[in-house]
Amino acid sequence: MHFHRRPSWHIPEREVTPERVFLDRRSVLAGLGFAGLAAASGLGLPGRASARPAGEAWTPKPPLDPAYADAGRAITPEAASGSYNNFYEFGTHKGIAEAAQALPSDPWTLRIEGMCAKAGEIGLEDLLAKMPVQERVYRHRCVEAWSMVVPWIGFPLADLVKWAEPTSGARYVRFETLVDEDSMPGIRQSWYPWPYVEGVTIEEALNPLPFMVTGVYGKVLPKQFGAPIRLHLPWKYGFKSAKSITRISFTDTQPVGFWEELQGSEYGFWANVNPEVPHRRWSQAQERVLGTGDEAPTQLYNGYGAEVAGLYAAMDLDKRALWF
Ligand SMILES: Nc1nc2c(c(=O)[nH]1)N[C@H]1C(S)=C(S)[C@@H](COP(=O)(O)O)O[C@H]1N2
Ligand SMILES: [Mo]
């Protein structure tokens, strides 16, 4: 199986500056007849509090990014991906979709904080109006050795970072997610370190791949997928892709993730997919493809090495740490 789809605008990581990431991707959208931010983001009306109920059709249809139109495997039917979820705020089993419908996802405000010029609160609709909303088909690999392929709708994290204008001292982006006592029975399990937190380096955040997801299957993101806004990092184990994000912080301190805090030796900061490095308790060589029951070989960086391996090539760290 070949997963190397180098986007036409790919350039070596060492040459990527925030401006290059931004401008190169803009020209891709221009080539699609991209008419403007407001058109692509749909209802971006400032001050509009409530506009996108979870599960409704996303209108108008956002452009499909040609670099991520095909993930090399069939798209997982929503019946499978939408009924087999990890969202511990609603319970530790996979059947949380019904309980998650209580999640209050609309309206939604994001707090941008820390080492950046745009610290403050912004409504999700106002943010979407500034971002190049598009569709991308990505593979997802959970550390539990199952995988899926989903057509996300959202915008590159790199665009949000660039808009927020981090200061030169900012080295990490930290994501914190909703804790809502009324709707989330899972947070009563007080031995878990709520809220769910995750993070990436600024360099990772500026890579073109990280995607801020607000929709899937042509619809506003259904609640069990982490409505109304979640992250997707296709080359990392799924636990890095935090759901229902409320705060995005720019910081000089490496964030400690929810799973890292619980069991750092098994779920570390980097968590890049590698079939040759087993989890302490199971192999990572194969994955069970949701919706089919097939087993497939797992790919290094989940098949996205052409895009991301350069991030780690020059890093001075214990190489084992890259995989957990
Ligand atoms: N807030 C929050 N985000 C989360 C999780 C979670 O329990 N809570 N689980 C993670 C894990 S382990 C995976 S595999 C993915 C699952 O996303 P999905 O249910 O949309 O497939 O979400 C990740 N993000
Ligand atoms: Mo996961």
Side-chain angles (χ1 to χ4, degrees):
M1 209 164 318
H2 294 285
F3 284 149
H4 295 285
R5 253 175 316 287
R6 175 169 294 207
S8 55
W9 36 266
H10 176 91
I11 48 176
E13 200 56 40
R14 63 187 172 277
E15 287 168 36
V16 174
T17 64
E19 288 72 19
R20 282 298 293 273
V21 170
F22 193 68
L23 294 172
D24 288 359
R25 210 196 24 66
R26 278 294 144 99
S27 56
V28 168
L29 295 173
L32 288 169
F34 187 72
L37 291 181
S41 61
L43 307 168
L45 307 179
R48 181 146 177 181
S50 173
R52 290 184 183 270
E56 288 201 356
W58 189 292
T59 52
K61 201 175 182 309
L64 176 62
D65 184 330
Y68 305 106
D70 175 2
R73 274 186 202 159
I75 288 177
T76 304
E78 186 185 354
S81 59
S83 62
Y84 188 87
N85 301 96
N86 275 334
F87 204 167
Y88 273 36
E89 289 85 336
F90 292 98
T92 55
H93 54 95
K94 299 293 186 279
I96 55 74
E98 202 182 316
Q101 300 316 307
L103 168 65
S105 64
D106 177 27
W108 194 264
T109 303
L110 278 164
R111 176 170 283 280
I112 311 289
E113 49 187 21
M115 304 171 76
C116 69
K118 294 281 196 339
E121 294 204 332
I122 184 164
L124 180 56
E125 284 299 313
D126 291 343
L127 180 64
L128 284 172
K130 300 177 196 301
M131 294 291 135
V133 176
Q134 58 198 265
E135 187 174 43
R136 291 184 177 188
V137 182
Y138 274 171
R139 296 181 298 282
H140 173 98
R141 173 58 158 80
C142 176
V143 73
E144 298 164 333
W146 56 266
S147 70
M148 61 180 180
V149 177
V150 275
W152 299 121
I153 292 168
F155 55 87
L157 173 61
D159 286 278
L160 187 153
V161 171
K162 184 155 169 61
W163 168 79
E165 294 178 61
T167 61
S168 58
R171 294 183 53 212
Y172 300 92
V173 187
R174 177 184 183 275
F175 301 89
E176 188 176 306
T177 81
L178 183 69
V179 174
D180 179 55
E181 303 193 354
D182 294 337
S183 66
M184 295 174 156
I187 65 173
R188 285 181 226 134
Q189 302 190 309
S190 56
W191 55 93
Y192 285 114
W194 312 109
Y196 199 96
V197 166
E198 261 307 335
V200 294
T201 65
I202 284 274
E203 292 76 19
E204 289 177 321
L206 289 171
N207 181 277
L209 279 182
F211 207 49
M212 296 299 293
V213 170
T214 52
V216 70
Y217 299 104
K219 300 189 289 194
V220 179
L221 198 63
K223 297 191 179 191
Q224 66 270 30
F225 285 100
I229 183 162
R230 58 95 55 87
L231 181 62
H232 196 246
L233 302 165
W235 75 99
K236 291 181 180 284
Y237 290 117
F239 67 87
K240 296 289 297 180
S241 295
K243 294 175 157 184
S244 303
I245 293 167
T246 56
R247 289 173 177 243
I248 300 178
S249 316
F250 295 89
T251 166
D252 56 6
T253 310
Q254 186 169 303
V256 179
F258 174 92
W259 284 104
E260 185 178 7
E261 188 156 335
L262 272 172
Q263 190 63 272
S265 61
E266 297 184 350
Y267 312 102
F269 176 77
W270 298 100
N272 295 311
V273 174
N274 187 338
E276 288 176 8
V277 180
H279 184 273
R280 276 172 200 246
R281 290 177 280 138
W282 58 84
S283 166
Q284 295 292 22
Q286 299 274 118
E287 59 203 59
R288 186 169 51 84
V289 181
L290 274 197
T292 68
D294 294 348
E295 290 277 326
T298 289
Q299 311 290 311
L300 183 61
Y301 293 111
N302 202 24
Y304 295 95
E307 284 99 326
V308 298
L311 283 169
Y312 310 105
M315 278 183 56
D316 181 26
L317 60 89
D318 173 0
K319 289 292 185 254
R320 195 189 140 81
L322 276 181
W323 318 114
F324 278 104

